Amino acid sequence: MTIKGEGVYNVVVIGAGTAGLVTAAATAGLGGRVALVERDRMGGDCLNTGCVPSKALISSARLVRQIRRAEDWGLEPMDPRFDFARVFGRMRERRAKIAPHDSQERFESLGVDVFRGHARFLSPREVEVDGRRLTAKNFVIATGSRPAVPPVAGLSEVPFLTNETVFDDLREKPDRLVVLGGGPVGCELGQVFARLGVRVTIVQRPPQILEKEDPDAAGLVRRILEEEGVTVLAGAQARGVSRNGRAVRVEVEIGESERRAVDADAIFVAAGRVANTGDLGLEAAGVALGENSIRVNRHLQSSQPHIYAAGDVVGGYQFTHVADAHARVIARNILFPWWQTTWDDSVVPWCTYTSPEVARVGLNETDARRRGVKFDVWRRPLDEVDRAVVESEEVGFAKVLTRKGGDRVLGATIVSERAGDLVHELVLAMKAGVGLKEISSTIHAYPTFAEVSRRLADEYQKSRLTPGVRRLFEWLYRRARRA
């Protein structure tokens, strides 16, 4: 029996977030010898400070909002009764229920040698973990990312929250919250806090929140946020932060001329991410860095072919499902080094879990125009979907881009409740090369939200009924009547 830490491993995985865990489990499950190194909590960002706790809070906040809208469901008007600390306690309880799946005990039961500590390369074939040396044929760097802190004067001198601290360190409800950043994290948690009774101000440097989305999608989310009491300052920058008694004051510059002082009880920083590449000994390993990332090829190999990188640390799409997909590619490439699998990011969906959600795959109109791609766009509002109407969730729309004159899907955007679930029919259509004609002819259960995709496809089919084709059909009907 090989002693833990001795001999040569098939792979040493650095980081026990999604990418690291999937790589380790897959390799061990196929019979490989694996060491997994984690200096902090098992499960990484997604489990502890990202997807899991944020979606648990979103779930509670959605229910609060529904209670406030009780009349929309034919109920008597009512105010939700909740305790802020209990809502956060429920989030932590839900997280704890999922945690065993990512635990050290589970991975050791799978045959993975787990080491708790900081890993640093000593050479291309060896890492040190708190004084213990590990040798392997392959390495996987899956160290993730951390919140970027913008260079705002005075920010470092006052307490502020990030996704790494907000879920466990915030114990009392702030009356006022300033969110620095109007991307997915800022909008999601900004809406959560607003629904839990906090006065929220979002400060977004670009002129549009959710800047990667089309203006119609981002604009609808902004309208809903503002209707729920969130103040959105877009095209604005935080220029300075200072203490104002027990509170903090954020000096905000809006456009080129307006300045505004925003007082708050807490600041939440959601201004992007920075890859965790520091103090890994990458120079000793001969691993080259890109801009805020480890540079990899299409096989997810670094400049050292036996050292792979996965997840947020390689930049690009920073999503849990992408980290998972990276890991699956790497596990295959380690097992079959002579038959390398290529990472394909041509069809990657994502979702911002505001209410309504914004789900996306492929090109949107903004991207298509920027790239000079000729396209047709098919759009249907949610209020034409019967299930959305009866559920009082008809705010939103779905649109699909197809290649000009054809039905092949180039991309889709859905803005609605449950959009993250609805988009996957279109994701599969893109992946499999299925066009709108096939979606239109596919039977969809009634009444479901999924009918929105069929309605989009029906619009494409109607477009094929040109005046000439219609005249031909009319002639055939007349002929049939005379027969």
Side-chain angles (χ1 to χ4, degrees):
M1 179 177 179
T2 306
I3 299 173
K4 178 179 178 180
E6 295 186 0
V8 178
Y9 286 94
N10 292 104
V11 60
V12 169
V13 181
I14 304 173
T18 299
L21 294 175
V22 174
T23 303
T27 305
L30 294 172
R33 186 170 184 238
V34 185
L36 175 64
V37 184
E38 174 54 53
R39 67 179 181 180
D40 197 358
R41 290 183 286 183
M42 297 285 290
D45 181 77
C46 180
L47 171 66
N48 297 292
T49 62
C51 310
V52 170
S54 65
K55 277 51 186 180
L57 287 180
I58 287 170
S59 177
S60 296
R62 182 185 299 114
L63 181 57
V64 168
R65 178 64 174 167
Q66 287 178 319
I67 293 171
R68 289 195 179 108
R69 294 176 54 210
E71 289 178 278
D72 291 347
W73 281 270
L75 307 179
E76 292 295 322
M78 62 185 76
D79 289 323
R81 297 176 58 189
F82 64 89
D83 178 78
F84 186 85
R86 287 187 63 186
V87 171
F88 269 63
R90 183 258 180 191
M91 171 268 293
R92 297 182 189 106
E93 180 270 327
R94 295 287 91 184
R95 181 178 62 184
K97 188 169 184 177
I98 295 173
H101 184 76
D102 295 347
S103 67
Q104 179 172 339
E105 292 75 17
R106 174 174 179 264
F107 275 78
E108 288 176 337
S109 75
L110 297 176
V112 176
D113 288 345
V114 179
F115 296 86
R116 307 305 290 269
H118 179 73
R120 197 172 193 279
F121 281 95
L122 300 176
S123 72
R125 295 287 180 179
E126 192 174 39
V127 296
E128 182 181 59
V129 182
D130 293 346
R132 173 174 253 172
R133 297 190 176 198
L134 303 177
T135 303
K137 297 289 290 184
N138 298 277
F139 295 85
V140 177
I141 303 171
T143 49
S145 63
R146 64 186 184 278
V149 179
V152 178
L155 180 60
S156 62
E157 299 170 14
V158 301
F160 62 86
L161 299 163
T162 68
N163 76 291
E164 292 184 343
T165 58
V166 67
F167 301 112
D168 292 297
D169 292 358
L170 187 64
R171 297 291 174 172
E172 296 180 354
K173 179 175 79 71
D175 290 328
R176 302 161 298 177
L177 177 71
V178 168
V179 179
L180 300 183
V185 175
C187 288
E188 286 178 6
L189 290 182
Q191 186 175 51
V192 164
F193 279 102
R195 290 180 167 188
L196 296 179
V198 179
R199 285 177 286 168
V200 175
T201 300
I202 294 177
V203 180
Q204 167 76 337
R205 184 171 182 174
Q208 173 186 299
I209 62 170
L210 302 179
E211 60 178 316
K212 293 183 179 180
E213 308 300 341
D214 275 336
D216 53 357
L220 178 54
V221 172
R222 176 171 179 168
R223 177 174 68 81
I224 297 300
L225 289 174
E226 291 177 333
E227 287 177 358
E228 295 184 12
V230 176
T231 299
V232 178
L233 303 179
Q237 296 186 61
R239 290 300 190 186
V241 177
S242 60
R243 291 189 179 274
N244 184 27
R246 297 183 61 186
V248 292
R249 173 164 291 174
V250 182
E251 298 290 341
V252 180
E253 182 179 85
I254 307 171
E256 297 181 356
S257 57
E258 183 182 354
R259 281 190 174 263
R260 184 182 304 183
V262 182
D263 290 333
D265 301 293
I267 296 174
F268 177 65
V269 175
R273 309 285 296 178
V274 177
N276 290 324
T277 59
D279 198 27
L280 291 174
L282 297 180
E283 295 172 350
V287 173
L289 290 174
E291 184 179 353
N292 186 33
S293 65
I294 292 176
R295 189 185 308 145
V296 295
N297 62 17
R298 297 298 292 178
H299 307 302
L300 299 174
Q301 294 166 302
S302 73
S303 52
Q304 291 280 10
H306 69 288
I307 301 178
Y308 296 81
D312 286 7
V313 78
V314 303
Y317 295 113
Q318 295 187 329
F319 304 119
T320 296
H321 48 282
V322 169
D324 181 295
H326 281 174
R328 294 168 190 265
V329 169
I330 290 172
R332 288 193 292 269
N333 288 343
I334 289 173
L335 183 60
F336 303 114
W338 60 87
W339 186 20
Q340 291 279 292
T341 299
T342 298
W343 161 244
D344 178 12
D345 61 357
S346 60
V347 183
V348 175
W350 65 82
C351 184
T352 299
Y353 296 91
T354 48
S355 292
E357 296 177 355
V358 181
R360 162 95 178 275
V361 62
L363 295 178
N364 62 12
E365 293 185 72
T366 304
D367 289 341
R369 292 192 183 97
R370 184 184 301 121
R371 299 183 189 184
V373 176
K374 295 182 178 180
F375 64 92
D376 293 315
V377 60
W378 313 97
R379 176 182 172 122
R380 303 311 306 163
L382 260 290
D383 61 13
E384 292 185 359
V385 178
D386 292 353
R387 180 64 181 275
V389 173
V390 300
E391 295 278 356
S392 294
E393 292 180 348
E394 66 266 39
V395 173
F397 63 88
K399 65 177 176 179
V400 169
L401 272 64
T402 56
R403 196 167 296 280
K404 189 73 175 178
D407 75 331
R408 288 288 296 270
V409 178
L410 298 174
T413 298
I414 303 178
V415 185
S416 73
E417 298 295 342
R418 315 183 196 197
D421 297 312
L422 298 177
V423 76
H424 286 90
E425 180 172 6
L426 297 165
V427 175
L428 183 59
M430 287 186 66
K431 185 71 173 177
V434 172
L436 293 185
K437 287 184 289 187
E438 286 81 2
I439 293 176
S440 177
S441 63
T442 299
I443 299 173
H444 289 66
Y446 177 89
T448 61
F449 282 85
E451 280 192 291
V452 70
S453 294
R454 198 210 68 213
R455 287 183 175 273
L456 284 167
D458 287 349
E459 283 300 301
Y460 167 77
Q461 291 290 70
K462 291 176 185 176
S463 74
R464 304 174 69 201
L465 186 61
T466 64
V469 173
R470 185 178 180 86
R471 286 194 296 271
L472 173 62
F473 289 167
E474 288 174 348
W475 178 82
L476 289 171
Y477 278 127
R478 286 196 303 271
R479 185 170 180 271
R481 290 195 298 270
R482 291 194 298 269

